[in-house]
Amino acid sequence: MCDRQERRRISSHKTKRSREAGDADRPGKRRTMAEDLRAKIEEQIRSTHVLMYCKTTCPFCARVGSYTGFLPPDSLSHCSPSGQEVVFGPLCDATCVCVDELDKNEPGLMSKYLDVLNDITGQKTVPNVFINGKHLGGCKDVIAIHSRGDLARTLVSSQMERDNMSSAPHSYDYDIIVIGGGSGGLSCAKAAGALGAKVACLDFVKPSPIGTKWGLGGTCVNVGCIPKKLMHQAALLGHALEDSRHYGWEVPEGVGHKWEKMVENIQAHISSLNWGYRTALRKKSVKYLNALAEFVDPHTIKHVNSRGVEGKISGARIVIATGKTHLYYIVLTTSP
């Protein structure tokens, strides 16, 4: 009798466990509130570029905001409603930042958020910052990274990773193609190269109406600010020579100026800058092409050099940094 009851009890227990296991595996099985909250937080962490859990009254959250540019430096009161994606600050320019102000949730929910975050990260306090699904840390951690000068690099490299430009394989020739070799194009190409992206930079100058051409560096370096300032300095030195007599300097009368010598030396200085820019690109592993670029499709560029030789390259991202050249004015004359 006892053996029969024991067998019945064991059989009943197995049936119950089997039913529970089946319920757990069934798609319609309802999760608990805690499980729903954890799933929501994990999805938010996984899907957001920069994520910061904070409180509106927390001075450490405000400090992280002022150090990093995640939030306005004066307070957190200018943040968007909880969970909305916004853009904040110079370090996060054009970067998706999600700020979740936990104390704006319904009463009692903030402590549940903190419990789940503590279970995930081992950190009990806010601010709690994540970049690309990776836990960056709290106030001390973020400020330490910022103080070392690594925060901007972390944000940029994580954006590249998010855009599949450095970590994920693609079929294009380059991660980034930069069109334009002026101040903006060179800065972009070198920064991307330094962060490990495969970069090509194209620059080409069509000859002016009188046949003038120049090298890498853009309008400012070659025919704009730099030569203008050097010529301005030459003029200032001439005036200084005249003024120096009033300060006791015995400067001979009729000191002359050789225009050709000045132009030659200025051109030599600009040529040295052109070469320096090419060297800087090479040091960052950037491929430089002295060729005119033309779009074939959103990811393909046709380029033609000064000898008319054509080629094609493709890139996952293409940056247009062509700037603008100086203008030419045609003087019209009429016969009397």
Side-chain angles (χ1 to χ4, degrees), residues 29 32 39 65 79 174 194 235 247 278 284-285 309 316 320-321:
K29 170 68 176 177
T32 65
C79 300
Y174 294 93
Y247 293 90
R278 294 188 65 168
K284 303 298 182 182
S285 301
V309 179
I320 302 175

Side-chain angles (χ1 to χ4, degrees), residues 159-160 162-165 170 172 174-178 198 200 298-299 314-319:
Q159 182 65 58
M160 291 174 63
R162 190 173 183 83
D163 287 344
N164 295 327
M165 287 161 48
H170 55 69
Y172 303 110
Y174 294 93
D175 299 317
I176 301 176
I177 297 175
V178 180
K198 187 179 181 182
H299 292 280
S314 60
R317 299 290 185 275
I318 299 177
V319 178

Side-chain angles (χ1 to χ4, degrees), residues 274-285:
N274 299 149
W275 179 253
Y277 296 138
R278 294 188 65 168
T279 302
L281 289 178
R282 187 165 60 246
K283 287 182 178 179
K284 303 298 182 182
S285 301

